[in-house]
Amino acid sequence: MILSLLLSACNPYRGFHGVDKKGMKKNKLPSQEIKEDYDKMSKKAKRAYKKEVKRRKKRLGTKETSIPR
């Protein structure tokens, strides 16, 4: 009985809900993590830039027009 209590207390999946033992995420290479982080940050920066441009256009009252060349 004590042995079963010790084994259940040291379960590495304890506290995870909805995750089975076979579906746990595996470790990624550091280069892959850096690439994914860079992609996330660049996407976030693009969204923030577009939001700022939109806010600036609204504040200044400028309209987007094509410039004749």
Side-chain angles (χ1 to χ4, degrees), residues 5-38:
L5 288 173
L6 287 175
L7 289 175
S8 65
C10 298
N11 188 359
Y13 302 102
R14 185 182 179 102
F16 287 98
H17 299 286
V19 177
D20 59 351
K21 294 178 183 180
K22 292 182 180 178
M24 290 295 286
K25 186 173 116 176
K26 295 184 179 179
N27 292 338
K28 295 181 182 179
L29 295 173
S31 60
Q32 181 68 25
E33 288 180 359
I34 290 172
K35 181 183 179 297
E36 289 177 359
D37 289 343
Y38 177 77

Side-chain angles (χ1 to χ4, degrees), residues 48-63:
Y49 176 74
K50 286 182 180 180
K51 189 175 183 179
E52 179 63 30
V53 168
K54 187 176 179 181
R55 187 180 298 139
R56 189 178 297 154
K57 281 182 186 179
K58 186 176 180 181
R59 183 173 44 103
L60 296 176
T62 58
K63 294 183 180 177

